Structure formats: structure tokens, C-alpha cells
């Protein structure tokens, strides 16, 4: 048996890049708010993200049999244990900083999103409504990042700006990821925005969101609400525009860099932005 390529290991590793990207997003939020870096807090946030997304991929969903068929034979019990351990580690670290909301809120929302709660004939589940899950993802992670930032800054305008930035960006990113899952979502009856409205219309909406968001961020730093992180914001705008234009045609790619374009552009955005910032700051 090839352990490296085993379904269980793939499942355990499926959220690693998302977790790292989320931790770096928090670092960028600290930079925008003018807060000193806190690596241990970034680590804790990454662990919470890993637990939340791995739990989602560990719970059986009809659409995942199509969208993530390579994970169908994985040992979900091992993944759930990994989720619990990761969540507890992240929650304990954040508790040491007197932060509690940022641990439990996204994890609870993640469970409601994936599995839901049944009360008699009523089922409360966040996955499935048209655009609902994208709004939930944006508000959940945007709100969680903003709540952590608010621990170290009393600038309410900075907190609001960071919330709007990440709530909008993560809403857009989740819609872009829906493009590659159209087949499975349609088969499961999940009414995502691309399924309901088609790629071309949604792409235009995303471009409008991207332009409006970054115009708002320019106003925010001109007003002194956030720091002038021009490299990060400029790269964010370029990637948002490129992703909206280019990613919708990459779903069927089997080989080469194009297959991984989504991960590079979306999950790798924070890493590349920070590297560019470091290079440019060192030169000037």
C-alpha cells in the first residue's frame, strides 16, 4: 500500500494549505491594524481552521462523492480525532490570550454548515441555500479575524475595515471554489451561485465586488483607519481580478500548473503577497 498517497493521509492533509493561508491572513490583518506580530496566535488560528475544514471533509455529504471522490475510502474516524486534537490545541492557545469567541464560533458554524442539527422534522443546515454558504463563510471568517484583531486595537474603524476586507474576499474565494464543484453540487441539489446563475454572470459580479472592495480599502487607508500596505492590497486586487477571469476554465485540467492554479492564486495569495512585500520593502 502507498501510504503517502493513501486516502486517509490525503484527507488529513487536504486542509493544511487552507490552514496556513488562514494563519497568514491573520498576520496581514495585524499588519493592516498596525499590531505587532504574534506567531503563537497565528498558529492557534491555523489549528482552528484546520479542524473546521477537515471536519467538513470528514462528514459524509452526497456531493463529496463526486467533488472529492479521492477521499471516499479514507478513515473518517482518524480525521475526526485529528480535528478534535487540533481544535483543542488551538482553543487552549487562544484561551491563554483570553480569546474564546474565535475558537468556538467558527467550529460550531462549521458543524452546522456540514452536518446541521435536526429537531423533529426541522433541519438547520447552512449548506445548500443559494449563496447562503458563501455569505456564511465570509461572515464567519471575516468576523473571527476581526474579533482577534480587536483584542489588540481600540480602533473600531480598523476592525470594521478588516472585517469588510476579509468577509468580502472570503465570500469571493468560496464562490470561485464553487466553480470546480458545479457537477457534484448540481447532482446533490445544492444551489450554489454558479449552479443557479452560470459562470459568466457570477464572474461579472465578482469583478464588481473586487473593484468596490479595493476602492473601499483605498479610502480606509487615506482616512487613516488602516496602515498603507500598498503591496498587499495591490496584489490582492490583481489576484481577485485574475481569479475571476481565469479560474472558471481550469476545472477540467488534469496536468500541469493549470491544474493547481486555484490553489496558487487563492490559497497561495497571502504567502506570495507577504514575500513581495518583504522584497519591495528591502529594496526601498
Amino acid at each position: 500500500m502507498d501510504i503517502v498517497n493513501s486516502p486517509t493521509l490525503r484527507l488529513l492533509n487536504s486542509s493544511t494549505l487552507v490552514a496556513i493561508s488562514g494563519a497568514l491572513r491573520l498576520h496581514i490583518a495585524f499588519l493592516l491594524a498596525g499590531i505587532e506580530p504574534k506567531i503563537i496566535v497565528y498558529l492557534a488560528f491555523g489549528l482552528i481552521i484546520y479542524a473546521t475544514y477537515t471536519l467538513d471533509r470528514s462528514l459524509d455529504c452526497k456531493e463529496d462523492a463526486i467533488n472529492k471522490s479521492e477521499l471516499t475510502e479514507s478513515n473518517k474516524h482518524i480525521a475526526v480525532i485529528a480535528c478534535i486534537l487540533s481544535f483543542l490545541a488551538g482553543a487552549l492557545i487562544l484561551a491563554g490570550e483570553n480569546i474564546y469567541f474565535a475558537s468556538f464560533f467558527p467550529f460550531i458554524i462549521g458543524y452546522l454548515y456540514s452536518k446541521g442539527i435536526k429537531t423533529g422534522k426541522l433541519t438547520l443546515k447552512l449548506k445548500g441555500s443559494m449563496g447562503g454558504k458563501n455569505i456564511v463563510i465570509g461572515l464567519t471568517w471575516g468576523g473571527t479575524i476581526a474579533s482577534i484583531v480587536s483584542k489588540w486595537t481600540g480602533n473600531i474603524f480598523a476592525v470594521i475595515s478588516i472585517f469588510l476586507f476579509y468577509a468580502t474576499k472570503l465570500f469571493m474565494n468560496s464562490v470561485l471554489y464553487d466553480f470546480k464543484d458545479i457537477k457534484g453540487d448540481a447532482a446533490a441539489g445544492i444551489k450554489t451561485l454558479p449552479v443557479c446563475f452560470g459562470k459568466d454572470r457570477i464572474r461579472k459580479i465578482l469583478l464588481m465586488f473586487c473593484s468596490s472592495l479595493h476602492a473601499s480599502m483605498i479610502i480606509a487607508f487615506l482616512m487613516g483607519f488602516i496602515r498603507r500596505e500598498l503591496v498587499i492590497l495591490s496584489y490582492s486586487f490583481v489576484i481577485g481580478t485574475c481569479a475571476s477571469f481565469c479560474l472558471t476554465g481550469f476545472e477540467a485540467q488534469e496536468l500541469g500548473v493549470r491544474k493547481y492554479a486555484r490553489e496558487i492564486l487563492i490559497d497561495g495569495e497571502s504567502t506570495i503577497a507577504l514575500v513581495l512585500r518583504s522584497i519591495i520593502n528591502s529594496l526601498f
Side-chain angles (χ1 to χ4, degrees), residues 171-184:
F171 170 86
M172 293 172 57
N173 289 351
S174 68
V175 174
L176 288 169
Y177 266 103
D178 283 341
F179 280 111
K180 75 181 181 67
D181 293 336
I182 287 178
K183 184 177 179 181

Side-chain angles (χ1 to χ4, degrees), residues 20-42:
I20 294 172
S21 177
L24 293 177
R25 285 191 182 107
L26 182 60
H27 176 52
I28 289 174
F30 273 45
L31 291 176
L32 291 172
I35 304 170
E36 289 295 320
K38 299 186 183 298
I39 296 176
I40 192 67
V41 175
Y42 305 157

Side-chain angles (χ1 to χ4, degrees), residues 172 205-216 237 241:
M172 293 172 57
I205 293 174
L206 291 179
L207 288 172
M208 180 185 68
F209 275 25
C210 183
S211 300
S212 300
L213 171 63
H214 290 88
S216 299
F237 175 73
T241 303

Side-chain angles (χ1 to χ4, degrees), residues 144-156:
T144 303
I145 290 173
S147 72
I148 294 175
V149 168
S150 69
K151 171 70 177 177
W152 285 282
T153 180
N155 186 344
I156 186 62

Side-chain angles (χ1 to χ4, degrees), residues 220-250:
F221 75 65
L222 289 177
M223 296 291 290
F225 299 158
I226 58 174
R227 289 182 58 183
R228 299 192 177 195
E229 294 290 346
L230 296 180
V231 175
I232 290 174
L233 293 176
S234 298
Y235 185 74
S236 171
F237 175 73
V238 170
I239 288 302
T241 303
C242 290
S244 299
F245 269 116
C246 303
L247 287 183
T248 58
F250 289 177

